Amino acid sequence: QCGSSQQATNLAAALVGGAIAPVRTTLAYRAALALVALMMVLLPLAYVALIAGAAWGVWWHLTTNVGMLSNHGLRGRAASAPFVAYVAPAVVGAVLVLFMVKPLLARSPKEAEPRSLDPADEPALFAFVGAVCRAVGAPLPKRIDVDMHVNASASHRRGLLSLFGKDLVLTIGLPLAAGLSVEQFAGVLAHEFGHFTQGAAMGFGALIGRVNAWFARVVFERDAWDVRLAEWSQSVDIRVGWILWLARGCVWLTRKVLFGLMWIAHAISCLLSRQMEHDADLHQTRLVGAEVVAGMFTRLPLLAAAEQKAWRTLGESWVEGGLADDFPGLILAQEGRFTAEERESIGAAAGSSHTELFATHPADGDRIARARAENALPIVTCRDPASRLFADFPALCRSCTLEAFQTALSGTIEPRNLRPVEEVLARERREEEAGAAASRWLAGDTSPHLP
């Protein structure tokens, strides 16, 4: 713990006592990234060309087949057939063009504002981050944010506006810092800063990632327009509704086109994405050594599984109006409750050495094997908890926990709703014991309809 910036600088220098050998990216690799980025830009343009073709088809029908509206000597119900034959393609085409344009205008869901740390409040953390940056040869982040995920990330602070610059932001998940040692935490930071060192390659990689994320969002997300079209097609008379059903079929077809484009984009980018991850892994291996990297890849799946379990616990406890006051602490407590069989199962699932063909990240086993093959001597060796790098980690966790709950959960959440972690877990244990007792007493038949 450090009370001044000078003490923090001295601590960082003591913990990170050198620099790693630079990780070079080849010209061929950078050229391949640029080519893939160009292709990723061309895919949305191909979709725009399809929209233009559909709009031109509707306009061609309206202007060329206007003669269908003239009287053909038909009588009775048959007299309306030419009108329907003219209007139906126009309506279907207009709905199709509208729904094809909609994904281009769709905005990303608004995310919660991150908690940005002040260097004056966290001198040790900022000094340590700076020391790791210098060790791996990466530019310093302009901002450090924290959130409630078992993860860390490096990104561009202003999105596309800083795509190829050094205007970068580092985001640290507080549960990650709570669950790792200083050397493991340094390895995670070195991996993220390894992306920073890739310069233009990181810019191309970020562009590729944004295009992939856009395709995934517009293919799988549904909004009020989709719901309204479905409701109209099911509620109106079938004599008119068939036009809306046909429009829904065309919209479904456009989503399949988008799905195909998404997979093309994913397929041409996944190999280079894995290579970027391997390059970033080299930075952490050269900073902390292969055994620390292996331990980190063993611990992270456990923390991720504990995070899911913690959210389930909170969902159940919130029904009764109580929430844990320290979400990172709850994750650590849930991780500690895993049985030996559960740990083995989680480790076996995550430790596969087989990397799937279309995976964006290498398998953990493959990454561990590559780290050991590097045979690097560690520069950072400190097994103290990474939470000690923060000025007051428990207070920061409690403050950020309340903010995260207010964003993620429904209802009004106030400080009075928060309970100590042990109290929430004790309630969960009582319910588990009661459920087990009921199961034994009723021979497994615990239907809620029984008296």
Side-chain angles (χ1 to χ4, degrees):
Q1 302 289 343
C2 300
S4 69
S5 59
Q6 185 57 50
Q7 289 177 317
T9 302
N10 294 339
L11 171 65
L15 291 175
V16 187
I20 68 171
V23 178
R24 306 294 183 186
T25 55
T26 65
L27 180 61
Y29 170 62
R30 292 194 293 269
L33 264 178
L35 179 61
V36 170
L38 176 61
M39 294 176 67
M40 297 292 285
V41 171
L42 291 178
L43 287 174
L45 293 180
Y47 182 68
V48 172
L50 290 175
I51 296 175
W56 179 85
V58 174
W59 178 254
W60 178 88
H61 168 71
L62 290 175
T63 56
T64 304
N65 298 325
V66 68
M68 297 174 66
L69 295 176
S70 61
N71 193 332
H72 296 279
L74 300 175
R75 297 289 184 271
R77 293 183 177 180
S80 62
F83 175 79
V84 173
Y86 179 79
V87 171
V91 172
V92 171
V95 172
L96 175 62
V97 171
L98 182 64
F99 274 75
M100 290 180 76
V101 171
K102 180 168 66 74
L104 299 176
L105 305 178
R107 296 182 177 180
S108 300
K110 188 176 181 181
E111 299 181 354
E113 288 294 323
R115 167 73 76 88
S116 297
L117 300 181
D118 188 340
D121 296 333
E122 301 289 349
L125 176 67
F126 276 81
F128 185 73
V129 168
V132 174
C133 281
R134 288 187 291 273
V136 301
L140 289 170
K142 296 293 181 65
R143 197 178 74 215
I144 297 178
D145 295 342
V146 292
D147 62 20
M148 283 292 152
H149 300 293
V150 181
N151 196 17
S153 64
S155 58
H156 295 91
R157 187 167 63 93
R158 296 179 297 159
L160 294 176
L161 295 177
S162 55
L163 198 59
F164 293 94
K166 297 181 179 180
D167 190 10
L168 306 168
V169 58
L170 171 69
T171 302
I172 299 170
L174 292 179
L176 188 76
L180 298 183
S181 66
V182 169
E183 57 188 2
Q184 290 173 331
F185 184 60
V188 172
L189 295 181
H191 176 94
E192 299 305 328
F193 295 147
H195 289 304
F196 283 7
T197 65
Q198 294 171 340
M202 183 185 176
F204 287 129
L207 178 61
I208 292 169
R210 283 178 176 271
V211 174
N212 274 325
W214 177 81
F215 271 123
R217 184 164 54 85
V218 299
V219 166
F220 296 112
E221 281 188 1
R222 297 294 181 268
D223 58 18
W225 290 21
D226 298 278
V227 175
R228 187 64 56 82
L229 179 62
E231 290 176 346
W232 286 349
S233 64
Q234 295 170 358
S235 60
V236 300
D237 191 283
I238 189 61
R239 289 171 293 185
V240 179
W242 70 270
I243 299 177
L244 297 179
W245 277 101
L246 184 59
R248 287 183 65 186
C250 292
V251 171
W252 174 85
L253 184 61
T254 63
R255 290 195 182 277
K256 292 301 180 183
V257 171
L258 273 169
F259 183 81
L261 292 175
M262 178 190 74
W263 265 104
I264 293 173
H266 179 74
I268 64 178
S269 64
C270 60
L271 179 60
L272 285 172
S273 174
R274 293 199 298 269
Q275 184 58 50
M276 291 184 71
E277 292 301 317
H278 277 311
D279 287 350
D281 284 348
L282 274 178
H283 291 80
Q284 67 177 349
T285 301
R286 293 178 181 180
L287 186 73
V288 299
E291 294 310 311
V292 173
V293 171
M296 184 187 63
F297 281 122
T298 301
R299 187 71 194 281
L300 288 178
L302 292 172
L303 291 174
E307 180 183 15
Q308 297 178 3
K309 191 172 182 180
W311 277 114
R312 288 196 296 270
T313 299
L314 291 172
E316 295 168 359
S317 65
W318 181 225
V319 172
E320 298 184 3
L323 293 167
D325 62 353
D326 181 358
F327 187 60
L330 178 62
I331 291 176
L332 288 187
Q334 292 288 26
E335 192 255 343
R337 295 182 65 196
F338 285 143
T339 63
E341 292 78 10
E342 288 173 327
R343 290 177 178 274
E344 184 177 352
S345 176
I346 294 170
S352 170
S353 60
H354 177 65
T355 300
E356 299 292 336
L357 179 61
F358 294 109
T360 57
H361 287 60
D364 288 350
D366 186 20
R367 300 171 86 166
I368 293 172
R370 287 197 176 213
R372 286 178 171 150
E374 180 68 12
N375 197 27
L377 294 176
I379 294 174
V380 178
T381 55
C382 178
R383 297 183 180 180
D384 287 353
S387 58
R388 294 187 63 184
L389 294 169
F390 294 78
D392 190 343
F393 192 71
L396 180 63
C397 287
R398 288 192 295 270
S399 174
C400 292
T401 293
L402 178 60
E403 294 176 4
F405 290 164
Q406 290 172 337
T407 301
L409 301 177
S410 59
T412 302
I413 300 174
E414 300 176 355
R416 60 183 177 83
N417 299 122
L418 302 183
R419 306 283 187 272
V421 170
E422 186 51 45
E423 181 180 327
V424 173
L425 290 178
R427 172 190 168 279
E428 185 180 52
R429 284 193 292 268
R430 289 195 299 270
E431 290 189 349
E432 290 174 351
E433 292 168 359
S439 180
R440 288 194 304 272
W441 180 255
L442 298 172
D445 190 357
T446 53
S447 168
H449 302 295
L450 290 174

